Amino acid sequence: MMRLEAKKMVATGDYTAAYGALLCDVDVVAAYPITPQTIIVEEFSNFVNNGITDAEFIMVESEHSAMSACIAAQASGARTFTATSSQGLALMHEMLFVASALRLPIVMPVVNRTLAAPIGIWCEHNDSMPQRDAGWIQMSCEDNQEVLDMIIMAYKIGERKDVLLPVMPCLDAFILSHTVEPVDAPSSDEVADFIGKYDPVATLDPNNPMAIGTFSPPEYIQELRYQTHVAMENAKKAIRETTKDFARKFGRDYYGLIEEYRCDDADVVLATVGTVTGTAREVVDELREKGKKVGLIKLRFYRPFPAEEIKKIAENVSAIGVYDRAISYGVGGPLFIETRNALYGLDLPVLNFLAGLGGRDVVKGDIEKMYEILLKAKKEKPEKEIYWIGTRGVSI
Amino acid sequence: MEIEGEHHPLDEYLRADRIPHIWCPGCGLGTVLNGFLHALEETDIDLKNLAIVSGIGCTGRIAGYINVDSYHTTHGRAIPFATGLKLANPKLKVVVISGDGDLFAIGGNHFIHAARRNIDMTVICVNNYNYGMTGGQLGPTTPLESKTTTTPYGNIEHPFNLCHVAHASGAVYVARWTALHARRMKDSIKEALNKKGFSFVEIIASCPTTYGRRNKMPTGLDTMKYYKEKSVIKHGIEPEKADIEIGGEIIVGKFVDIEKPTFNEEVEKLIRRFHK
C-alpha cells in the first residue's frame, strides 16, 4: 500500500472506520451494503480503486457471504476487514461463531442500528448485543477519534497469540457514522510499527494441507470451548496493556476496559455506553457544580466485560446506575444484567435506565433524571430496578 | 380518467398519510406503482383478498404505500413470506413487489425455488441496475462496464438476465418492460395478476440519482430517451436471448406464458389421493 502521512482529518465515523482499515494495511475486504454502514466499505472500495491500497475488495451477495469470505481469507493468512449493521449483523450471526471458534482475528466495525421489526435505521444496540455469546470482543466508541484508534487497537488485541479472537468495534448509527468530527490520524508507518504484521498460528496452505472446522465428535469440542473462554479472559489483560501502549505511542489514553470520570469521591455513579457518554460528561460537570457528588463510568467493552473494574468502583459508592440502549425483554438492559452479575454480593442499589431505543435522542434532561433517581436511591430503597426514561405511557 | 381538484383517481388504493413517497425525481418507481394500481383496477381482484409483500430497498417501500394488507419484510425475504401467506391461505392473491438487489442477490435463492415450485404468486421486480437505496453500489443486474460507487472503472461481473433466471427456474409467465412502456407494463401486470402459478414481470426503471448520473443518464428523462432508442419488442423470444448490455438493445415483451400445475394444486392432489 501507499505510505500515508499523519494528518488531521475532518471525517464521518464511517470514513474514519474505512481509513482505520486502510492504515492497518488489511489484505481482504468483503462487503455488502447496509445503511448506515455502507459508506465504510464504499470508502474502502475507493481506496482500492484509487490504487492507495492493493487489498482485495470482494463484493458479495449478503452479509452472511461477507463474513464467510472474511473467514476463508483470514484462515489463509490474510488480515481481513468488513463492516455491517442491524439486519446484516443478524444475518451474519451463524458465521460469527465460526470466526471466533477458528480463532480468526477479523475486525468488523458494527454501526449500531435498530433491528426489525418495525424497520428503522436509527441507533439502538439491539443488533450487536445479542451477539454476546459469539466469542467476539465487542466494544463501543464515544467519538470518531475512538473509532479510528479502536480499529488500530482491535488488530493489535485480536492478533495477540494469547487472544486470537475477532473484534467488533461498535459506533452509534448517524450520531457517529454520518457526523463529521476532527480526527487525528497517525501515519501508516506508525500504525505498522504499532500493530506489526499478522502472524497467524496456522494457515491454509496448499503445500502443507490441513483441514479446519471439520466435523468434531464430543471428544474435542469441550476443550475448544474452554480455550476460547480463556482467550476471552486473556483479552482483558491484552486490552489493558494495549491501551497503555497506545497512549505511550500516540498520546491518547483509553484506560483499558472502562474509563472513569469523576468517580473518585462520587456518591453515585452512572455507567453509560456509546455516544451518550459525551452528553453524560457534561451533565456530571453541571451536577458537580451544584455540589452533587456524581460520577460516570464509560463502559467501553461488553465482551470481555469489565467486572473487576466496575466492582472496584461500586465498593465505594452508594448506588450505581446502568444506561442501556437495548432491552432483553422481561429482564432488563444487557449491560445492566452484566453489571448486576459483576456486583453480586455487594449491598447497593443497581438500577437500569433505558432510553434512546429506536434512535430516540437522549438529551441532558434524560441523564439528569437518571442521576436524580440514583441520588434518591442513595437515601431510600428504590421501588423498582428498571426505569424507562422518556417513554410514553410509562411513569417513572 | 378525469383528475379533479386534489383527488387522484387512484387515491382509494393508497395510504394517503404515507404520501409523498420517498422516491427521487425522475425515478421509475412512481410509474410502476401507477401501472400496478391501474392493472389492479382492471382485474376482479377483491382488495380485501389481496396481500402485497416487499423486501428492502426503494422498491420495497411500495408495500407501505398501497392500502391493502401489506408487509415490508427483511432484506431478501419477501418471497418466503409471501409463500407462507399463500400456503396458509390459498384463497389469497399474493403479490411480491421488490427490487433487483433484494430479489436476486440476498434473496436470489428464494426466487428460484418459489418459481421451481410454481407457487401461485405474482412477482414484480423493478430493476434499476444497482443498489439504489444504499447509494448506488454494484448489484447482480449491473450491466458489464457500468459505473457504480464500488466499480468506478466499470463493472467486470456478468449480470443476471432476470427473465432468463425466471424462465429457467420454472415461472409460467415471464414479461419484461421498461418504465417507458407504461401501458404495456400495465397490461402485462394485469395478465400476470390473472395468471395461475408463478408469474414474473421485470420492469427496467430509471435511477438517475445513483445509477444514471454515473452512466451518462443524469436525469430520468435521459433514461427514458435511452429506453425509447434501445427498446425492441420481441414477444415470445427465448429469454436467454434477451441479455442486457450497456448500449445494446433492450429486448422487451412477453416471453413466456405456459400452463403448469401450481404447488397448491399438487398439495390438493396429494391430499385427495389419501382421502379416497
Side-chain angles (χ1 to χ4, degrees), chain A residues 32-35 38 42 45-46 49-50 57 59-63 87 91 116-117 119, chain B residues 56 71-75 77 101 105-106 131 134-135 137-138 149-153 157:
Chain A
Y32 190 74
I34 182 167
T35 304
T38 309
E42 200 172 69
S45 83
N46 281 339
N49 285 310
N50 293 338
F57 187 79
M59 287 167 281
V60 291
E61 286 69 53
S62 74
E63 290 84 357
Q87 311 299 132
L91 185 61
I119 294 173
Chain B
I56 297 299
Y71 195 80
H72 192 184
T73 66
T74 53
H75 201 10
R77 315 305 156 195
I106 198 165
Y131 289 117
T134 49
Q137 296 78 25
L138 173 87
T149 63
T150 42
T151 57
Y153 297 108
E157 295 186 13

Side-chain angles (χ1 to χ4, degrees), chain A residues 33-109:
Chain A
I34 182 167
T35 304
Q37 166 286 124
T38 309
I39 304 163
I40 298 179
V41 291
E42 200 172 69
E43 291 291 359
F44 198 89
S45 83
N46 281 339
F47 300 145
V48 174
N49 285 310
N50 293 338
I52 298 169
T53 168
D54 51 8
E56 294 294 329
F57 187 79
I58 312 171
M59 287 167 281
V60 291
E61 286 69 53
S62 74
E63 290 84 357
H64 195 281
S65 321
M67 185 44 60
S68 301
C70 283
I71 287 169
Q74 189 88 25
S76 69
R79 184 179 273 163
T80 67
F81 178 83
T82 185
T84 194
S85 288
S86 183
Q87 311 299 132
L89 183 61
L91 185 61
M92 257 183 203
H93 183 71
E94 180 180 34
M95 300 315 292
L96 297 181
F97 287 78
V98 179
S100 60
L102 294 181
R103 309 295 296 279
L104 301 170
I106 299 161
V107 173
M108 173 174 70

Side-chain angles (χ1 to χ4, degrees), chain B residues 202-259:
Chain B
E202 174 187 5
I203 298 154
I204 296 170
S206 51
C207 179
T209 306
T210 67
Y211 182 82
R213 285 192 302 172
R214 296 187 174 90
N215 292 281
K216 298 178 183 161
M217 288 178 273
T219 68
L221 189 61
D222 295 327
T223 315
M224 287 296 172
K225 282 178 181 160
Y226 178 77
Y227 292 160
K228 192 173 178 212
E229 186 192 328
K230 300 291 180 188
S231 297
V232 183
I233 299 174
K234 290 185 183 173
H235 291 302
I237 193 177
E238 281 286 316
E240 64 177 300
K241 291 178 184 147
D243 281 354
I244 289 170
E245 285 164 18
I246 202 163
E249 274 184 356
I250 303 172
I251 298 172
V252 295
K254 179 166 80 172
F255 305 144
V256 178
D257 192 353
I258 57 170
E259 301 300 323

Side-chain angles (χ1 to χ4, degrees), chain A residues 163-177:
Chain A
V163 178
L164 289 176
L165 287 175
V167 188
M168 185 189 295
C170 299
L171 52 151
D172 286 350
F174 299 102
I175 305 168
L176 291 187
S177 68

Side-chain angles (χ1 to χ4, degrees), chain B residues 85-125:
Chain B
L85 283 178
K86 187 65 192 176
L87 299 195
N89 186 357
K91 288 188 183 124
L92 211 56
K93 181 74 207 170
V94 180
V95 180
V96 170
I97 310 179
S98 213
D100 51 309
D102 184 76
L103 285 170
F104 289 91
I106 198 165
N109 201 22
H110 306 307
F111 181 89
I112 59 174
H113 292 288
R116 175 179 64 80
R117 294 186 182 110
N118 198 22
I119 308 277
D120 185 16
M121 63 169 76
T122 298
V123 176
I124 297 169
C125 176

Side-chain angles (χ1 to χ4, degrees), chain A residues 36 84-86 89 110-114 121-129 138-141 169-174:
Chain A
T84 194
S85 288
S86 183
L89 183 61
V110 168
V111 182
N112 284 125
R113 158 187 157 181
T114 186
I121 55 171
W122 293 276
C123 180
E124 191 170 341
H125 298 156
N126 66 342
D127 55 352
S128 60
M129 288 192 168
Q138 191 182 134
M139 62 82 58
S140 295
C141 299
C170 299
L171 52 151
D172 286 350
F174 299 102

